[in-house]
Amino acid sequence: MFIPFAQETPDVAEEVVEEKTLSIIDLMFSGGPGGTIIILILAVLLFFAIYIYFERIFAIKAASKTDKNFMNQIKDSVTSGNIESAKIRCAQENSPVARLTEKGISRIGSPLEDINTAIENAGRLEVYKLEKNVSVLATIAGAAPMIGFLGTVIGMVIAFHELATSSGQAEMGSLAEGIYTAMTTTVAGLIVGIIAYIGYNHVVVRTDKVVHQMEATAVDFLDLLNEPS
């Protein structure tokens, strides 16, 4: 005769393994006071880098906007002897190219060398305006990784100090603060440096385009004055 086995129902509680997750914010500020100070400094540098980047990009974009018919209108006005009309057109345009042209127009009647010098001086001033704060962006690109590496050194000093004071018997928990400081500050410094470096190079490329546009306009204007009447 077949006797079914009784189903065993052991009252065993299932163990729920909770994985301890560490958010990016917790990771960044888990390196103790030294790491936190370094991270805060890098956060401030990142804010300034992003602000300078977008401020320069918008300024350069505004400076590069020029009417395609601008130089043709200037040529028509200068050729017809209507100098005041050319000056008014430059004032309406209100761009680096227009300001350079207006500087040259205001010197019409002077020797060509004086006109060229006036345009060059105005061009230097316009380039200075375009490159405003760009050097700060370059400084952040170079300084951020170095600050991150400083945090790395601080973290390693903390870790070795724990080993030294515990005669080599320090627990891993006591070393965690130094290790976190070393790793997180390095990563943060490199991230800020990379962002600032890419932003700096992009701003330089955009600035160079405007400078070349200014140079081409200056050449066109000088050629206009050299044309036989």
Side-chain angles (χ1 to χ4, degrees), residues 107-118 222 225:
R107 293 292 193 276
I108 289 180
S110 301
L112 191 60
E113 183 178 351
D114 293 344
I115 298 176
N116 187 25
T117 302
L222 292 175
L225 297 181

Side-chain angles (χ1 to χ4, degrees), residues 138-150:
T139 302
I140 293 174
M146 295 177 66
I147 294 174
F149 293 145
L150 174 62

Side-chain angles (χ1 to χ4, degrees), residues 16-22:
V16 179
V17 180
E18 296 183 359
E19 295 183 358
K20 184 178 180 180
T21 59
L22 191 63

